[in-house]
Amino acid sequence: MDFGLVLQTDPPASRVVSLMKRAERNGFTHGWTFDSAVLWQEPFVIYSQILANTTKLKVGPMVTNPGTRTWEVTASTFATLNDMFGNRTVCGIGRGDSAMRVAGRRPGTLARLGEAIDAIRDLAEGREAEVDGQPLRIPWVRDGKLPVWMAAYGPKALALAGRKADGFILQLADPYLTEWMVKAVRAAAVEAGRDPASVTVCVAAPAYVGDDLAHAREQCRWFGGMVGNHVADLVARYGEHSGLVPEALTSYIKERHGYDYSHHGRAGNPSTDFVPDEIVDRFCLLGPPEAHIEKLRALRELGVDQFAVYDMHDAQETTIDAYGAEIIPALHP
């Protein structure tokens, strides 16, 4: 199992770079950031500094979207970083939540997302692609490689990930839901004539190492609110009892009343008071190192290839170091 570190690009950018360097020293293989132009600093600028200050760490957004940048700009940016630093990027992509909604736009459609996955990958790897009806190719790309990993929860999105994406990003660490969703992605891959094992599975969730469970829950409760945005979309689309989405995912948002993106992804988010302890425990990794190792082993048995640590709380360095000292060695082959 590989490990990634996920950060927001809050200023100063030097701290983001420093934490990513610390992560690489501790055995993390991937460095991810949020991508929301209004809420945080521009991640691709910071990626260049992370790559320049590390040797093997791969970087990318968790996640970008097809709407805030034109596809050729996204592809060219990845291709430039790859040309400079040797194919060390991954394009995490989804429909767009905070990046689109904060700017007053709706998240993109799945059809648009599917087209973008193909076009961005082809352009970044030097092949011709069609963008808004126009055939394009980036002529200077040589030996470019850009895996595109798609974030998904609902049945149509999971099917799209299985058909098109190089990787599947699941932003929660509940084993029951992980099993359900990984099976859906793999079934779609098989139906599309793909090897299901070729789709990398990445589970991303907050991790907090320590014995004070009550404090850890309060530091990570924001995550249930963030996931709740996507769940609310699913309930609106499919209904709460449709059978198309597990009630283990949808039932907890009954008391949800809106969401304030100015606190998005932050400990103490006041929009997450509806999230019960049970959801925090299921969706996150909390407790002493042994508890993390036990849950990660269960996720690995379900086919998870990478666990990406959302490190947005008051113990960032402690968590990175604890993973490097005890947890990563226990899970690494």
Side-chain angles (χ1 to χ4, degrees), residues 301-326:
E301 288 298 311
L302 296 174
V304 175
D305 301 295
Q306 180 180 144
F307 177 60
V309 174
Y310 277 109
D311 202 25
M312 280 76 83
H313 48 58
D314 64 1
Q316 290 181 304
E317 288 90 350
T318 301
T319 298
I320 293 169
D321 292 347
Y323 264 71
E326 299 185 65

Side-chain angles (χ1 to χ4, degrees), residues 201-263:
V201 177
C202 174
V203 161
Y208 197 105
V209 181
D211 294 324
D212 189 343
L213 191 56
H215 180 73
R217 284 172 176 152
E218 291 312 309
Q219 287 293 304
C220 298
R221 197 175 305 275
W222 63 264
F223 185 66
M226 187 185 83
V227 174
N229 296 330
H230 304 284
V231 174
D233 285 346
L234 294 176
V235 170
R237 186 174 300 116
Y238 298 107
E240 186 178 345
H241 305 293
S242 65
L244 297 173
V245 181
E247 291 192 29
L249 176 62
T250 61
S251 61
Y252 84 97
I253 68 163
K254 291 178 181 177
E255 301 301 320
R256 179 181 182 270
H257 302 288
Y259 188 83
D260 182 355
Y261 278 93
S262 66
H263 304 283

